[in-house]
Amino acid sequence: MTIRLDANDISGYSVGGTVQVVIDTLFAKIKSEEYPVDTRLPSERSLAADLGVSRNTVREALDVLESHKVIRRRPGSGSFVTWRAEPEPQNEPDSVAERTSPLDHLVVRSIIEPEMVRLATINMSPLDLDELDGIVSRIEQVRTDVNAFVSCEEAFYRKIAQGTRNPLLETCYELTITVCRQSFRTALMRRHLTPDRIEGYQKRYNTLFNAIASRDVEAAVEFIKLHLIEEQKLLLHETG
């Protein structure tokens, strides 16, 4: 599994699924400033107990975070947060994000996502499916943290786009993620993502994963179309 570090995610090392969950959990807490810059993290023993994993797993996750300069270890003192969020990029007056309405975004998604899901269902490797399964597991762990949910949701769609084995389609979809993040949808998600709705999305993504994993192209494509219809209903309700 690859880990990528930027303002939204972390990568660069090959790690096990449990280690990845610990990395994502800690990094999400750091990004949300539950652990602000210069704060000392709980001890390895405390983290292991809180997360239900071994100390070796926590230590491996901390190794990755330190290698990416997210934390710094001080012998005898513990691990301290060094990562600071970069300011959100300011949109240029004529940028794509500035000119894209919520409906524009949904129209593009309705064009791209059914074909993206179709190709991914056909082309994803067993390793791809394992990684997608891991992302679904991370989504299912979110209860109320909207930022963590949005980050996991982006990772879910990004993995499906990668699974198409079509670099141009993957790049096009990455633009929809970027536009979404820079414009309206994050604010929209924060308004409507109650715990009940988060649970609803979790069930949807689990259903979609099962269709993809079983190579059921028809079911996967039909499901994403229905999902997009529900997204449209939500958008009309929120903006109406």
Side-chain angles (χ1 to χ4, degrees):
M1 180 174 297
T2 0
I3 313 175
R4 177 173 58 198
L5 177 63
D6 57 25
N8 303 291
D9 212 341
I10 254 198
S11 92
Y13 282 71
S14 218
V15 297
T18 306
V19 175
Q20 182 71 57
V21 169
V22 175
I23 291 169
D24 292 339
T25 301
L26 291 177
F27 192 47
K29 289 176 181 290
I30 290 168
K31 284 198 299 179
S32 68
E33 297 191 339
E34 184 174 335
Y35 299 141
V37 67
D38 296 327
T39 298
R40 185 174 68 180
L41 295 180
S43 67
E44 290 178 4
R45 185 187 302 277
S46 296
L47 289 172
D50 290 344
L51 299 172
V53 298
S54 70
R55 289 183 67 181
N56 283 341
T57 297
V58 170
R59 193 170 296 122
E60 188 176 347
L62 293 176
D63 285 342
V64 174
L65 291 171
E66 185 175 37
S67 72
H68 285 293
K69 305 188 188 308
V70 176
I71 63 169
R72 182 175 74 252
R73 283 167 162 145
R74 298 177 189 166
S77 298
S79 300
F80 292 80
V81 176
T82 56
W83 186 86
R84 190 188 301 274
E86 302 239 351
E88 287 294 321
Q90 296 299 311
N91 293 336
E92 292 296 322
D94 197 36
S95 71
V96 174
E98 188 75 15
R99 291 181 287 119
T100 300
S101 72
L103 183 58
D104 291 336
H105 190 263
L106 258 181
V107 167
V108 172
R109 286 183 62 196
S110 68
I111 293 169
I112 293 178
E113 287 182 17
E115 181 63 12
M116 187 172 83
V117 166
R118 186 187 73 82
L119 289 173
T121 304
I122 295 168
N123 293 327
M124 289 187 96
S125 68
L127 178 59
D128 289 330
L129 292 172
D130 284 345
E131 293 179 358
L132 189 62
D133 189 19
I135 295 169
V136 173
S137 296
R138 285 156 48 198
I139 290 174
E140 290 175 341
Q141 291 171 14
V142 178
R143 293 293 176 264
T144 58
D145 188 334
V146 174
N147 289 331
F149 181 84
V150 171
S151 178
C152 288
E153 185 185 54
E154 286 180 1
F156 178 77
Y157 281 107
R158 186 178 282 117
K159 189 65 201 176
I160 292 173
Q162 291 169 355
T164 65
R165 297 291 184 269
N166 184 318
L168 182 56
L169 180 56
E170 181 184 346
T171 302
C172 289
Y173 196 74
E174 188 65 35
L175 179 59
T176 72
I177 291 175
T178 301
V179 168
C180 176
R181 188 187 302 141
Q182 289 181 359
S183 56
F184 57 88
R185 192 168 183 265
T186 299
L188 181 64
M189 290 288 278
R190 285 196 177 94
R191 286 204 303 272
H192 89 264
L193 265 183
T194 62
D196 284 346
R197 279 177 169 165
I198 286 176
E199 185 178 355
Y201 275 104
Q202 289 166 336
K203 290 177 180 176
R204 289 191 207 176
Y205 293 143
N206 189 59
T207 300
L208 178 56
F209 167 75
N210 287 335
I212 293 172
S214 61
R215 308 293 185 185
D216 191 335
V217 175
E218 185 177 350
V221 171
E222 185 62 22
F223 183 84
I224 198 64
K225 288 179 178 178
L226 291 173
H227 174 67
L228 287 166
I229 290 171
E230 291 301 315
E231 290 275 271
Q232 184 177 21
K233 289 179 181 176
L234 176 64
L235 174 64
L236 294 174
H237 174 74
E238 290 289 327
T239 57

